[in-house]
Structures are given as structure tokens and as C-alpha cells.
Amino acid sequence: MDGDNIQTDSGLGSDFDDDFDPLIGENDPALPTERYLDRELSWLAFNQRVLELAEDPDLPVLERANFLAIFASNLDEFFMVRVAGLKRRILTGLAVPTNIGRAPQDALSDISAMAHVLQDRHAHAFQDLVSPALAGAGIDIVNWDTLDDADRRSLRDYFSNQIFPVLMPLAVDPVHPFPYISGLSLNLAVRVRNSKTGKQEFARLKVPTMLPRFVRVDRREKADSVRFITLEDLIANHLGDLFPGMDILEHHIFRVTRNEDVEIEEDETENLIKALEKELLRRRFGPPIRLEITEDMDEVTLGLLVRELDVTEQEVYRLPAPLDLGGLFDLRIDRPDLRYVKHVPTTAVQLLAPEPNAEPDIFSAISRRDILLHHPYESFATSVQAFLEQAAADPDVLAIKQTLYRTSGDSPIVEALIAAAESGKQVLALVEIKARFDEQANITWARKLEKAGVHVVYGLVGLKTHCKLALVVRNENGVLRHYSHIGTGNYNPKTSRLYEDLGLLTTDPQVGKDLTRLFNELSGYAIEKKFKRLLVAPLHLRRGLLKSIAAETAAAQAGKPSGIRIKVNSMVDEAIIDALYRASQARVPIEIWVRGICSLKPGVPGMSETIKVRSILGRYLEHSRIFSFHTNGDTQVYIGSADMMHRNLDRRVEALVRLVDPDHLAEIDALFTRAMDDRTSSWWLDSSGEWTRHHLDDSGHPLDDMQDRLMQQISHRKRPTGRR
């Protein structure tokens, strides 16, 4: 699946769950008032980093096109959730100042200004950079006007046979009211004139989503020299077939983004699935919050759309065609020379069979020692998936318990749980059906699990279950043994090939006891007590991290060695940020490795001089979360599912597990050292909120690509010769 890189969890996961809480950090007089970066603008800066990858001429051109599509998809979700949520709160009077104290209406204006700039830059990156580079590689995206008669005849046949039958032009007049425009659909606004009466009319024509967005001009062309025309361009040049007897006066493309956030009120008696299904139906009819139009749209057509859709001037984005560059995901061309060099995940060496031709035994391997997995460099299929499949088939396994947040529709994980239940094992699946934009899929396979006899529960009222946990209970000679997996990523075989994640496989009795109790509490009513090797939100995770940060602060103040290293997707929580500021004031060396949002200001004299922030984006989505504390030389390292956001720490069930194997601690240390090295390609954050890309050395040569380097390093690991 090279080329299917996703730089946010868009459509699969998200950084957009509501996080509009007022500040929860204490008013510390030792810290300046203006000490945070705006979280919304920080997210837009993240998407700008994605765009910079698309603009990079040194990347394979089809990957650049893919990054353009990722940018577009990311921005769609940002508008559907963050912008829509902010606007909804303004309209209902529930909005609070942002994390930097900006009034909600001012925050919307700030977002709009930056989003307009980025969308213009995005469109011109396609027009001026990526499209010419594609053409140079033999892939032309052409306009109808450039085609000769033979091309047009061929496309006319294709239009008549494959497109015309599914089109549905909708007139707008006193008898036909303005039609509902579905969110994210491409549409043609058409103004026509009756050739007999001279009366002008308006019609809307939706571009069908089930048809290819890019149509081959000549299907007989060689694979290394192809031409495409956009579906909307092809339709626009056959409007006469759709409006016979009418003169086509104007036709323009437009696209609407709607509020597609889901709000459900939970109580302890309602059926959560039924409530969610009702809300999913309402999602389709959310109010518009963005109108994208082609730059050539006339004022009459624009005025009609603005009036009927009830959008403001600020919400109108006038762009060069084509709109919706997310459609570049559909540009499927078999040109390996224009993509990243293919990487094949390797099986973790600890899971290899003792002899090359022998069958691997997952349980024996985990029994020997804890195993730290690093995806996608190490295969998910031959580790986590194999662990669950072997557990399902093993007659000695008595029970399997697992959380499921997002997984693929044809998931072998789900099939393994079903097989286990059908063979008589006790199986518990804790399903989070409120995982954004995956709600309907989760409802479907939750019901499939229930029909197979799996005990399906939906977590605790008011909390999303986001932790990634699996527990297998096995009878070994009359003794019950616990085999545990705790990860940073979803149990999704498809995204595991694109997302960078960590996972721990262990038979540690304490972890087994912790997970047993946690699963019991999750399928019951509440999470009450602390755990031994876990930090669990919402009660204890923030508190535990603050305690560790405070310990490093005290060590530095006492003149002892100290250090903090954190890798997250987002760093927003004010209490955590303030604790890091206080640690920096005590001269604790702090390294933050963040993929997306960062509200922390590094390098501010007297506040954060010892804090360094880096971001790494590339072919894989950096998704693991790591927390490392020096602890007076006894390094404490946690991995798990939690980002430093209010939602993760207050409104979700999250779990971090402490690593104890010295080799694992050394591996995490080496990972951070490589990521923060000036010789590694990355983005650096400064105190003003600006991210600067460092990918070339002083001589103009590329800096190290960390993901490529890790793939090479891990793929060359040797099969262990001894057993411990």
C-alpha cells in the first residue's frame, strides 16, 4: 500500500474530538500569561508541514500527489469538526475563550485567514509544481479544450455509456426548491436559458462519487504515458445532452463542507447504538461551514449559492480548478518508479521459530521475555494478529479480552474473536462505537460479534475507550497464565502498514493482574483504583505524569541529573505544559517529539529555554506515544494510547504501560536520540510558533530519513542465538 500515506487519522482516526474546555492549568505567577500557542493554528501549521512534503521536488511525484490529497482530506475533517464545533458553540452561546484567551469569533477569523492562505498555496502547489512534474513523468491531467477530435469522440462514447445514465440534473424554480447539497460532494452550478422563451433558469448537477474522479483519455495508451481528464470537466462539456433545447450560459464547480460532528447525550438507560444511529442520520444534514468555488464563478451564480446555503463571505473559498484535490487518492497508476521504494515489514526476531522451517509459537516466545514491537517496521500480521489467531485456535486458551476502537471491515482480528467464541472460549470485546467517522462501521461489526456469542460491551458512560489492550488467559498445566498486549495503535491490520506504533507483548503477572482488573472495571461501572504497571486515565494518568515531571524538577533543583523525553501526536494540555515549563525553569533537559498540534512554546528565555520540539513527517504516520523520565538514573519509560489533550486525560479511558526490559529502554533511548539529532530530517518549532523544515545539510545534501533508516536497521536484525 505504498503511497497510501495518511498524515492524520483522517477517516480512520482523528485529532479533532471536541477539546473546547476552558483552561485547566493553574494561574502560576511564575509563568507568563501568554505562554501557549493557539491549538487551531498549530493544527493548521501541521497540515502546512504535510503540504511542504507535496512541494518537495526530491520526493517521488506520485507521493507528492498523495500528500496533496492528504492535505485536502485533513482540512475537510478540520472544518467538519473543529470549525463546525466552534461555530456551533458561538451560535448556542456556549463558546469559551480559546486556549490563548482569544474570543471565539476572533478565533474563527484567525482560522479563516490562515485556511484561505493554505488553500491557495495548496491549489498552486498542484497547478505549478505537482501537475507539471506528473506531466514530465508521462502522466498528464488535461482539459477538454486541449483534446483533438479523436479524443473527444472516444470520451463522448464513454460519457454516453458510463456517465450519462447515472446523472441527475435538478432544476431550481418555483416548483423545484433549491436541492439539498450533501457535504463534500462536487457539484456543477448550471445557468441555462430557454431558447424559445428566453427565460433563465438554474440547475444543480451532482458529480457521481461512485465513478472514477480521473478518466483515462485513451485506454490504449501505454502505462508510462497516460492522460486523464477530471470527471467534472468531462460532464461539463456534455451539458447539452442533459438540458436539451436550452442554451448553456454558465457552468461552474462548487463544493460544500458541512458540520458532520456527532453529538449524543448518554445516560445510563438509553440504548447507545440506537441513539448513535439516529445522530448519524442527522449528520448528513448539518449546516454548511465552507463553500469552495472555482475562481471563474460569476457573481450571479455565487450570489444564489451564498443566499441558498446561508454562508458568509468569510466561508467562501475561491480556488482554481480542480476543486477537491483529495480526489488525487483515486489516481491509481502502476508506476513503482514514481513512488517510495517498497518496504516489506519483517517478523520480530523474538517471534521467529527456532529453526527456519519450524512453526512459530507465539506463546513460547512471549514466555521467554517481554517483546517490544515496532510497527510498521515489524509486521503486525506476524505478531499481534498471529497472537490473537493462535489464541483463538489454542484449546488451552480459556478467555480473550480485547478493546476495539477502530479496525478494518474485513478484519482478521474480528474473525479471530468470532472463531474463539464459536469454539467455546469466553470472549469479551470492549467496542468503542463512538470512534469518530467510524461509528457506522463499528456498529456493524459489533452486532456481528454479538451474533457469534462474543460478550460485547460499550465502555463507561461519558467516556470513550481509547486504550489498546488485549488479554489472553491460558491454562498451562493447571496454572492460569496471562498473556498481555498493550499498544499505542489500533487493532487494524490495514493502518498498521501505514502507522508507526509500538506494542508490548508480555506474560508479566503484574501486567496480567492490572489488565484483568481494568477489563472488569470497563465492563462494569467505573475505574476506581490505581494499577501497578499501568497509568490509566481519566483518574490517574495525568496525575502520574505530573508526579514524574515534578520529580525531575526536584532532581534538577537539587543539582542531580534529570531529563524528560515525550513523543505524542498532540501536546495541548495546559497542566502538563505548565509542569514542563516549571521543569525547564529548573534546567531539566526536555525533548518533545510531536506529530501534530503543539501549544507549548519552546526556547522562551526564563520559561522554556531547555525545551526542544521536533516533528517528523514522512511515508508513515508517526503515531506512538512515549514518556521517558531520567529518575536519577533508573529511567522510567511508558508507552500507550494517550496524547496530552483534555479529551485523552479527562474524557477517555487511556492506558500507559511501563517498560522494564533494559533492551527496550535502550531501544527507546536510541529512538529519541536519532529523532532529535540535528542530522535527522525534521521540523523545528521556535518560540513564535513557526515550524522550520531542516532536511538538507549545509552542502545541500539530504539529511537522514529516520523512517528509512529504521526500516533498514530493523530488517537486518539477526535471529537470536540464545534463549533467556
Side-chain angles (χ1 to χ4, degrees):
M1 292 179 65
D2 282 11
D4 292 344
N5 311 288
I6 301 173
Q7 286 306 319
T8 186
D9 301 41
S10 281
L12 298 166
S14 162
D15 282 338
F16 301 117
D17 287 21
D18 286 350
D19 224 14
F20 291 99
D21 296 346
L23 298 182
I24 61 171
E26 297 178 4
N27 185 18
D28 190 334
L31 297 173
T33 304
E34 298 180 355
R35 58 187 184 269
Y36 309 118
L37 296 172
D38 183 279
R39 61 153 292 157
E40 313 300 348
L41 299 186
S42 182
W43 184 90
L44 288 170
F46 151 68
N47 214 26
Q48 178 177 313
R49 299 197 291 281
V50 176
L51 181 54
E52 288 174 18
L53 290 173
E55 294 169 336
D56 187 345
D58 293 329
L59 292 186
V61 68
L62 284 177
E63 302 296 351
R64 296 173 66 191
N66 204 54
F67 282 120
L68 287 176
I70 291 166
F71 174 96
S73 176
N74 287 354
L75 197 61
D76 286 346
E77 189 171 340
F78 178 75
F79 271 93
M80 288 189 294
V81 180
R82 293 301 303 179
V83 176
L86 187 55
K87 186 176 180 181
R88 184 180 68 241
R89 282 163 173 75
I90 291 171
L91 293 174
T92 57
L94 298 176
V96 296
T98 69
N99 70 319
I100 63 168
R102 291 281 281 169
Q105 194 62 55
D106 293 335
L108 266 185
S109 297
D110 295 342
I111 291 168
S112 176
M114 189 170 178
H116 273 89
V117 170
L118 284 178
Q119 284 214 242
D120 284 339
R121 179 173 167 181
H122 178 238
H124 287 289
F126 174 74
Q127 296 283 349
D128 303 333
L129 302 175
V130 176
S131 184
L134 285 168
I139 303 169
D140 276 294
I141 299 174
V142 299
N143 298 319
W144 180 264
D145 295 341
T146 66
L147 300 177
D148 61 24
D149 289 342
D151 291 333
R152 293 185 180 189
R153 282 194 299 272
S154 172
L155 286 173
R156 179 165 182 79
D157 289 341
Y158 180 81
F159 174 84
S160 299
N161 296 324
Q162 301 294 326
I163 300 174
F164 180 80
V166 299
L167 295 178
M168 298 181 183
L170 298 176
V172 177
D173 56 32
V175 180
H176 304 92
F178 192 85
Y180 175 79
I181 309 297
S182 53
L184 303 185
S185 64
L186 271 181
N187 303 270
L188 276 84
V190 186
R191 284 201 298 121
V192 298
R193 180 176 56 215
N194 189 303
S195 57
K196 295 180 180 179
T197 66
K199 186 178 181 181
Q200 293 190 18
E201 306 283 1
F202 177 85
R204 172 261 188 156
L205 182 62
K206 182 177 179 179
V207 178
T209 56
M210 77 290 298
L211 298 178
R213 176 70 188 286
F214 293 93
V215 179
R216 283 282 294 268
V217 173
D218 187 342
R219 295 172 182 273
R220 294 170 298 175
E221 293 174 281
K222 296 180 180 178
D224 60 353
S225 179
V226 294
R227 290 179 297 157
F228 293 92
I229 185 171
T230 63
L231 180 58
E232 62 269 25
D233 192 9
L234 181 55
I235 294 171
N237 283 279
H238 290 82
L239 292 176
D241 294 5
L242 293 154
F243 302 98
M246 309 291 278
D247 299 324
I248 310 300
L249 301 179
E250 297 274 354
H251 59 81
H252 305 284
I253 305 297
F254 71 97
R255 183 173 183 259
V256 174
T257 309
R258 294 184 175 275
N259 176 357
E260 300 207 13
D261 200 6
V262 166
E263 282 194 308
I264 56 171
E265 295 297 327
E266 292 182 67
D267 61 49
E268 295 186 17
T269 60
E270 77 169 327
N271 185 317
L272 185 57
I273 285 185
K274 289 183 178 178
L276 188 55
E277 286 179 321
K278 289 180 183 178
E279 189 59 32
L280 289 173
L281 288 175
R282 292 193 201 106
R283 173 189 274 176
R284 295 180 55 237
F285 301 98
I289 41 92
R290 179 178 58 163
L291 171 62
E292 297 168 275
I293 62 172
T294 47
E295 58 188 358
D296 60 351
M297 182 175 285
D298 65 286
E299 292 303 317
V300 173
T301 304
L302 176 58
L304 175 67
L305 292 176
V306 167
R307 183 173 63 255
E308 293 291 344
L309 293 169
D310 192 24
V311 295
T312 66
E313 182 180 347
Q314 188 182 72
E315 293 167 332
V316 177
Y317 290 73
R318 191 183 286 268
L319 301 163
L323 300 183
D324 185 19
L325 291 176
L328 291 168
F329 280 132
D330 295 336
L331 203 59
R332 299 294 181 183
I333 302 172
D334 186 18
R335 289 285 302 276
D337 57 311
L338 303 182
R339 295 201 179 275
Y340 287 127
V341 175
K342 191 173 183 64
H343 281 176
V344 179
T346 185
T347 297
V349 292
Q350 298 92 335
L351 294 176
L352 293 172
E355 301 298 331
N357 295 323
E359 285 292 322
D361 184 340
I362 302 286
F363 294 121
S364 294
I366 303 172
S367 296
R368 286 189 285 270
R369 64 182 300 185
D370 287 3
I371 299 171
L372 182 64
L373 302 167
H374 199 177
H375 312 298
Y377 314 109
E378 292 174 309
S379 169
F380 179 90
T382 60
S383 57
V384 180
Q385 181 180 324
F387 167 59
L388 292 165
E389 288 174 338
Q390 186 171 327
D394 189 335
D396 292 328
V397 168
L398 305 180
I400 302 174
K401 303 179 182 183
Q402 184 168 2
T403 60
L404 291 171
Y405 189 72
R406 303 182 195 273
T407 190
S408 54
D410 56 350
S411 173
I413 302 297
V414 172
E415 294 303 320
L417 296 179
I418 289 173
E422 290 177 341
S423 68
K425 294 175 172 56
Q426 287 284 96
V427 181
L428 172 73
L430 202 149
V431 177
E432 182 47 76
I433 59 170
K434 300 187 295 295
R436 192 184 305 279
F437 299 120
D438 276 347
E439 299 96 339
Q440 190 59 58
N442 286 7
I443 289 172
T444 299
W445 52 255
R447 286 178 167 154
K448 185 178 179 181
L449 286 167
E450 286 180 323
K451 288 180 180 178
V454 175
H455 300 289
V456 178
V457 295
Y458 301 107
L460 302 173
V461 171
L463 298 174
K464 277 189 178 181
T465 304
H466 189 248
C467 48
K468 324 298 183 185
L469 311 172
L471 176 65
V472 172
V473 181
R474 191 168 187 255
N475 184 345
E476 298 182 357
N477 299 317
V479 177
L480 297 190
R481 196 168 191 187
H482 298 81
Y483 291 82
S484 308
H485 175 265
I486 302 174
T488 66
N490 298 309
Y491 292 101
N492 188 321
K494 290 184 178 178
T495 59
S496 71
R497 298 194 288 268
L498 304 171
Y499 285 27
E500 178 274 339
D501 273 303
L502 293 167
L504 178 70
L505 288 168
T506 180
T507 57
D508 180 83
Q510 189 57 63
V511 174
K513 290 178 182 177
D514 281 353
L515 287 191
T516 297
R517 204 177 83 231
L518 179 54
F519 271 110
N520 288 343
E521 293 180 1
L522 287 173
S523 61
Y525 292 102
I527 297 173
E528 297 291 345
K529 301 176 182 177
K530 291 183 180 179
F531 299 85
K532 298 292 185 180
R533 264 187 71 180
L534 302 182
L535 287 178
V536 178
L539 290 185
H540 306 296
L541 200 154
R542 180 193 280 113
R543 193 179 307 164
L545 293 178
L546 289 174
K547 183 177 179 181
S548 294
I549 295 170
E552 297 303 310
T553 305
Q557 290 169 336
K560 298 177 181 178
S562 61
I564 298 171
R565 288 172 149 179
I566 296 175
K567 180 179 188 287
V568 286
N569 295 332
S570 300
M571 174 65 72
V572 175
D573 187 79
E574 291 85 6
I576 296 292
I577 291 174
D578 284 357
L580 292 171
Y581 285 154
R582 287 189 287 270
S584 182
Q585 289 175 327
R587 311 305 296 176
V588 176
I590 301 171
E591 295 176 338
I592 308 293
W593 177 2
V594 62
R595 184 189 85 228
I597 305 167
C598 184
S599 294
L600 179 149
K601 289 184 178 181
V604 177
M607 182 179 78
S608 58
E609 288 171 278
T610 65
I611 301 179
K612 184 163 66 172
V613 179
R614 298 282 189 268
S615 183
I616 294 175
L617 279 71
R619 67 186 298 166
Y620 302 127
L621 181 139
E622 294 288 332
H623 193 251
S624 63
R625 292 85 162 184
I626 309 170
F627 304 85
S628 176
F629 304 96
H630 184 273
T631 325
N632 201 27
D634 181 21
T635 304
Q636 303 286 299
V637 175
Y638 293 87
I639 65 167
S641 58
D643 282 310
M644 295 298 95
M645 303 177 75
H646 306 159
R647 64 156 195 227
N648 299 95
L649 301 175
D650 298 320
R651 299 192 300 277
R652 286 185 170 189
V653 180
E654 306 276 9
L656 306 180
V657 63
R658 183 165 52 86
L659 303 181
V660 296
D661 188 305
D663 288 349
H664 298 167
L665 302 181
E667 184 174 340
I668 296 298
D669 180 70
L671 193 66
F672 267 101
T673 299
R674 185 183 294 277
M676 307 305 287
D677 194 310
D678 290 354
R679 294 167 295 182
T680 295
S681 179
S682 63
W683 280 260
W684 301 9
L685 179 64
D686 66 22
S687 58
S688 70
E690 289 293 318
W691 288 91
T692 303
R693 190 180 183 199
H694 292 257
H695 66 296
L696 301 174
D697 64 17
D698 294 340
S699 302
H701 299 123
L703 296 175
D704 257 5
D705 183 310
M706 179 172 178
Q707 295 179 344
D708 278 348
R709 184 74 66 173
L710 282 173
M711 182 60 81
Q712 295 168 13
Q713 177 183 317
I714 292 174
S715 66
H716 287 94
R717 286 177 178 169
K718 303 297 184 185
R719 186 188 302 265
T721 55
R723 299 301 189 190
R724 289 173 49 180

